[in-house]
Every structure is written in structure tokens, then in C-alpha cells.
Amino acid sequence: MNILVIDDEKPVCDSMSLFLTELGHDVTCASNGEEAIELFERTRFHLVLTDITMPRMDGFELLRRLKRDRTSLVDVVIISGHNDLKNAITALREGAYDYLQKPIDIDELAIVVERVQEHLSLRLTTEELTTHFEEKVKERVSEAEKKLEKYRSIFRENAGLNRILIHSRKMREVYTLAERYHRSPSVPVLIEGETGTGKELLARYIHYGPSTIAKPFIAINCAAIPTELFESELFGHESGAFTGSSSSSKKGQMEIAEDGTLLLDEIGEMPLTMQVKLLRVLEEREFYRVGGIKRIPFKARVIASTNKSLQQEVEQKQFRGDLYHRLNVGYIEIPPLRERPEEIIPLSYDFLHRSCERHSNRAIRGFSSGAERFLESLAWPGNVRQLENAIERAVLLYECPLLESEHFSFLVRGGSGFTERSAASGVPRSEHADPGFFTIPEEGIDLDELITSLIREAMRMSGGKKTLAAKLLNISPRTISRRLDKDTEED
């Protein structure tokens, strides 16, 4: 060890230095505290043996000065010429390692030095382990942050948030407004837009925002829930609450949403009886499970979406006006793709690159000018979703450098009519349809019968599946069910 001995009596310093040197240590002597401080600033000492009574700076002041440096590993042993218990206690309280009394017993000094050496070795080991531990912690934290970012990216990809594509001023305004609502989680939001415009994706963006928050996002399709199960699905139920209920209690979607977001998709299809109960929950911020007596707080934000105009539904008595005004605090209308034609080609290339990567199609590089003009000429009743599906279908079927217009001929053929726009008026038309198809005869037509025929044709084309038939006609499955039930009753 490197030892500093401080005493104003030179014989004491010399004798201690000789003894400690024989024990194998490097020893330096100083006659007072100020000299010791100067030596300490130039050399790192492991042990300081200092007398208490010295000129200019006593041993206690030196002890305090040395202990002020928290990074120093030095141990200080106080030496006193008086058998004073008070000095010993003071020294230990000030941070001294031990206390020796003059005349110094060399055996006692050797024992103290040996203990200091063991203490120093232990502290060095601890310091090394601490440094190693801190480095490992930093390394693990860095790895965890990278994994978290990776998982966050995967989650955002699965949630569709990495597929948000903005190529027009209108959509930029839509997402700017969505980000504003994201920062106000207490505000309910109503999203209106045609089928395929990306209402659920926008709702997810309002919930998650530019980053990813660790709160639940629960989506309910109001058109897909049977009327008799609606209340249980939303509020949950207690065991045996109704015939056919499970033997154990069940949480509803409102309870599962916790303090996250509850998306009520196709809110226009919610039964009027449930609209009353939903309004009550939104106003009181609490509800009961079916058959329950315990109040459950409702903490989630509500986002409602619809492909209808709820204002018109209210006017036609198909939707409650009070609920409409409660939901319509925050409002976003997503414009259909035909109203932002400047996005068609940029979106097409975005979808093309993703589809080629997903299906390992390395042949296709883009679209011919004819194909671009053709895609721009379509009305896209299915909006962005229809465009994405059309691009993916072409990628699956063809392997060529450029996709041509004929590769998308299926869009105006085989029952998917009314997809091409008239260059003059922008009115949808069907290239394969008879020109007189749009002419109303002088004697008039039976509109109700025409609607029934269209629904039956859609059911035939979809193999009897109401959901697919509804997509073909851009209406809800519930509307098809009501029409078919009506026709059955009349028959």
C-alpha cells in the first residue's frame, strides 16, 4: 500500500516509516496537515496515519478534508498522545477507520494496517464489481430498448399504423385533426366515411398517436352483433343473468377497454334500445353488468365510426339525436378516394411495393402510363381498400416489368360494374352495361322490387354470405337481413 504518515515530531515519523517499510509498504512522511494535502493532491494514498495535535491544521480538520472527496478510497487512522475517549469517538464519527494511542504499539499498528489492506482489497473488488454491474446494466438496458423499439415497430405494423399513407392536403388535414384528438383522450370522436376509406385505421391513430401507448384498443363491429346479445357484449354479465349465459361472470368490452379506447364501428347499426343505454353510460361514466348490482366505472375514450351520415339518420328517426350530439364532440370526415384523385397513383405505387415484398414478386417495377391513366379513370367505390386489393391481385397474377391496363380489366368486368368514371361528368358507369340501363321508362319502375333484385343478385354472387353481399352493395349486413326478412313475410 501507499501510506502517508503525518506527525510534527520527526522521530515518530521516522520510526513509523521504517517499520511500515519493513512490512512492504511505500511510506511518505509529512509534518503538518497542509503539507499532507499538497502531497495528497499529487499522489494517491491508500492509508493516512495522522496525529491529532499539529500546527496550522489539526488531524480532525485533515480528516474532514480527506473525507470530503467521495471518490477517494483512502482510510484514515487517527493517532493521539492522550488517552481521551472523546477524541476517539469524534474521530470515528468523522469517518476515521480506527484510532491509535501514543506511544504506538507496533503489533497493534501492524494489525490495523493489515485490516486496512483487507478493507482496501474489498473496496477495490466492490468498485470493480459495481463498475462491471453498471456496464452490464447499461448494456442490458440498451438491448431492452432496442427490443422494445423492435416490438413497438412490429405492433404498429400489425395494427396498421405503419401503413398510414398521406399524399394529399385533405388527408393531411384529417390526420392533423386526429393527432389533436389523440392529445385529448376525454373527447369522444365521430368518424364518418365511405366503406374502405380507413376509418378503423384513423381510429387507431387517434388512440395510439405518433408513438405507441400501452393502453387497450377495443373495436366492436355494431353490425355484426345480434340484437339480443348487444347489451351483454358491451356491459358484460353476471353468472346466470339470462338463459344461455355462462356459469361464470364475464367482462364486457367496456370494462375490458379500461382507460384505453372503445371503437364502436358502424355505430349507425346499433339498435335504438342500446343507444339509450350507451348515452346513459357516456353521461354518467359508469354502468352495470347484465344481472349485476355493482357499479363499474367507465374510463375509456369512445370513438364511433360509420359509413352513413348520422345527421340524416337522426332526421329519419333511425338514430337518436341526443346520442349523436354526445358523440359528435370531435368530428372527422374522411373524403372518398374519388375526391382526392391525386392520391391514386402514389398510393398505387406504395401498395405495389408492399405487395411485391410480401409475395416475393421481384419482376414488377411499376405501371405503364396507360395503366396509370386507367387507374385514375376509375371511381373506386371501395376506396383505398379496393385499390389496395386490386394491386395485390395483379401482383399475385402477373410477373412482368410493368403492369398494363388490361391487368386490371377485372375491375370493370364480371359483376363489379359502376367502377369506371365518365371523363366528362365523373358519374360511375359500367362499360359492359347496356346504354339504356340508366334510362327510366315513362311508365316508371318499381324501386322496391329493383332493390330486392339487387340484393338477391348480390346474395347469389356471394354464395349466400350476407357480409360479402353487403360489401358488393356498400350497405350493412343488417340492412340485407331486414330486406330479406321483409320479403319472406310478404311471400
Side-chain angles (χ1 to χ4, degrees):
M1 287 192 302
N2 213 8
I3 302 176
L4 176 61
V5 177
I6 311 161
D7 199 305
D8 56 343
E9 297 180 18
K10 191 173 185 305
V12 175
C13 272
D14 291 341
S15 61
M16 290 178 64
S17 176
L18 179 62
F19 175 71
L20 294 172
T21 301
E22 289 179 352
L23 291 178
H25 303 289
D26 296 323
V27 183
T28 304
C29 289
S31 59
N32 57 68
E34 291 185 353
E35 183 183 350
I37 292 296
E38 292 177 3
L39 288 169
F40 208 86
E41 290 175 351
R42 299 195 300 267
T43 308
R44 181 184 181 188
F45 293 99
H46 304 116
L47 171 62
V48 171
L49 294 162
T50 179
D51 192 14
I52 292 179
T53 306
M54 296 182 295
R56 302 201 301 201
M57 183 187 296
D58 65 15
F60 288 130
E61 178 61 23
L62 175 62
L63 172 63
R64 285 189 285 269
R65 292 276 296 273
L66 294 179
K67 288 299 178 182
R68 203 172 294 164
D69 182 4
R70 300 293 183 184
T71 62
S72 174
L73 295 179
V74 67
D75 283 323
V76 180
V77 175
I78 294 293
I79 300 173
S80 174
H82 307 282
N83 186 12
D84 189 345
L85 180 60
K86 182 179 179 180
N87 279 345
I89 294 174
T90 301
L92 295 175
R93 283 179 176 174
E94 293 287 346
Y97 180 79
D98 209 338
Y99 178 89
L100 294 176
Q101 182 180 343
K102 290 182 180 179
I104 295 175
D105 186 317
I106 58 172
D107 291 332
E108 187 178 357
L109 176 60
I111 292 172
V112 169
V113 170
E114 185 177 354
R115 288 207 310 265
V116 168
Q117 192 167 12
E118 292 175 354
H119 183 228
L120 174 63
S121 176
L122 180 62
R123 291 180 66 179
L124 289 173
T125 302
T126 302
E127 184 182 51
E128 183 180 349
L129 289 174
T130 301
T131 303
H132 181 70
F133 175 75
E134 290 175 351
E135 290 175 353
K136 284 294 183 183
V137 168
K138 289 180 180 178
E139 183 181 331
R140 293 289 186 271
V141 168
S142 177
E143 291 176 359
E145 287 175 347
K146 289 178 181 178
K147 286 183 178 179
L148 179 61
E149 188 59 36
K150 177 183 176 182
Y151 295 147
R152 182 180 285 121
S153 177
I154 292 172
F155 175 80
R156 291 182 68 82
E157 178 66 32
N158 291 337
L161 298 174
N162 288 347
R163 298 196 296 274
I164 295 175
L165 307 169
I166 301 174
H167 297 289
S168 69
R169 179 184 57 80
K170 288 184 178 180
M171 290 307 294
R172 192 172 296 110
E173 290 173 354
V174 164
Y175 276 91
T176 299
L177 193 56
E179 189 167 342
R180 188 176 303 168
Y181 291 143
H182 165 73
R183 296 193 295 268
S184 303
S186 62
V187 175
V189 181
L190 174 62
I191 303 173
E192 290 187 351
E194 294 181 4
T195 299
T197 51
K199 296 186 291 296
E200 182 170 343
L201 181 60
L202 181 63
R204 289 181 182 274
Y205 186 81
I206 293 173
H207 171 71
Y208 292 109
S211 59
T212 302
I213 63 172
K215 293 182 179 181
F217 177 87
I218 304 298
I220 299 176
N221 187 340
C222 297
I225 303 175
T227 303
E228 62 274 12
L229 296 180
F230 223 117
E231 188 173 2
S232 174
E233 186 70 20
L234 273 183
F235 305 141
H237 64 263
E238 298 296 345
S239 59
F242 53 89
T243 303
S245 62
S246 60
S247 57
S248 58
S249 61
K250 176 189 173 184
K251 289 183 178 181
Q253 299 301 326
M254 282 187 165
E255 194 172 349
I256 294 172
E258 297 178 347
D259 58 347
T261 296
L262 178 68
L263 170 63
L264 298 173
D265 192 18
E266 302 303 343
I267 185 73
E269 302 300 325
M270 179 178 284
L272 287 169
T273 53
M274 279 304 304
Q275 292 179 26
V276 178
K277 296 177 181 179
L278 174 62
L279 177 63
R280 185 180 182 89
V281 172
L282 294 180
E283 289 178 344
E284 299 184 359
R285 304 302 294 182
E286 61 183 19
F287 61 93
Y288 296 89
R289 290 180 184 171
V290 178
I293 59 173
K294 178 183 176 183
R295 292 182 181 180
I296 301 174
F298 178 61
K299 299 177 287 185
R301 174 223 294 274
V302 171
I303 300 177
S305 65
T306 177
N307 60 2
K308 302 178 178 181
S309 168
L310 281 195
Q311 179 65 51
Q312 292 180 8
E313 292 290 297
V314 170
E315 294 171 358
Q316 296 170 8
K317 308 299 183 184
Q318 298 297 316
F319 198 84
R320 291 186 62 93
D322 45 9
L323 178 58
Y324 168 68
H325 295 301
R326 189 69 182 81
L327 293 171
N328 196 24
V329 179
Y331 176 78
I332 300 179
E333 182 179 8
I334 305 179
L337 187 57
R338 62 180 174 276
E339 292 183 8
R340 39 193 174 101
E342 69 274 19
E343 287 202 69
I344 293 175
I345 299 307
L347 285 173
S348 297
Y349 275 95
D350 287 329
F351 295 146
L352 178 67
H353 295 151
R354 290 182 179 182
S355 293
C356 286
E357 182 178 353
R358 185 162 55 249
H359 299 293
S360 302
N361 188 334
R362 300 178 182 177
I364 302 176
R365 299 194 306 271
F367 305 90
S368 69
S369 56
E372 291 183 2
R373 288 194 299 271
F374 177 75
L375 292 174
E376 287 179 316
S377 73
L378 301 180
W380 298 108
N383 292 289
V384 178
R385 184 186 300 152
Q386 184 186 15
L387 175 61
E388 183 176 14
N389 292 342
I391 300 299
E392 184 162 19
R393 175 171 173 173
V395 168
L396 284 169
L397 294 178
Y398 306 106
E399 289 190 9
C400 52
L402 296 176
L403 290 174
E404 302 290 345
S405 57
E406 56 264 26
H407 295 149
F408 298 97
S409 59
F410 60 87
L411 291 169
V412 290
R413 186 182 68 236
S416 63
F418 312 110
T419 58
E420 189 176 355
R421 296 184 300 167
S422 165
S425 64
V427 178
R429 67 177 176 84
S430 174
E431 198 167 77
H432 66 280
D434 182 78
F437 182 84
F438 297 100
T439 303
I440 299 176
E442 292 182 2
E443 64 273 16
I445 62 172
D446 187 335
L447 181 59
D448 196 55
E449 183 179 344
L450 177 60
I451 293 173
T452 300
S453 299
L454 288 172
I455 288 177
R456 286 177 175 172
E457 177 61 16
M459 288 291 289
R460 184 192 65 78
M461 291 174 57
S462 63
K465 296 179 179 178
K466 293 179 183 178
T467 303
L468 295 179
K471 288 184 178 179
L472 288 173
L473 297 174
N474 197 21
I475 59 177
S476 71
R478 192 181 296 275
T479 301
I480 289 182
S481 296
R482 285 200 295 264
R483 171 64 65 168
L484 294 177
D485 291 343
K486 178 183 176 183
D487 294 342
T488 301
E489 291 173 1
E490 290 178 353
D491 292 341

